[in-house]
Amino acid sequence: MMNTNTPNQHLMALVTFIALVPLVYWIPELIEPFLPANKLLHVITAVGIIVPIIAYGVVPTFSTLYHRLSHRAGCWRQSRSKCS
């Protein structure tokens, strides 16, 4: 049986996409002055910064918020005395 407190796979993909767009746009430009003129090094460094932000920041934060909001929505549908 599927856990109803986990976000839908498509919703997680959308959140990840929305979070990636500004990171992929700005981080390569921000790190460029600090690296030598090597395209591979730029890509590896940018990916090395972006992936942890998504994996350890965005996804856990969204999952926590989703869990809290879905719990509140469930409490709203049921008797509030069960959800304190």
Side-chain angles (χ1 to χ4, degrees), residues 1-64:
M1 186 173 196
M2 193 168 134
N3 186 357
T4 58
N5 286 336
T6 59
N8 182 332
Q9 181 180 3
H10 302 296
L11 183 59
M12 285 302 300
L14 178 64
V15 169
T16 303
F17 174 79
I18 291 169
L20 276 172
V21 170
L23 294 175
V24 170
Y25 186 80
W26 291 107
I27 288 180
E29 289 182 12
L30 292 173
I31 64 172
E32 185 177 6
F34 304 104
L35 296 174
N38 183 341
K39 180 76 171 173
L40 181 62
L41 184 60
H42 285 210
V43 171
I44 290 171
T45 305
V47 170
I49 293 170
I50 293 169
V51 168
I53 291 171
I54 296 294
Y56 298 116
V58 174
V59 171
T61 302
F62 177 74
S63 296
T64 302

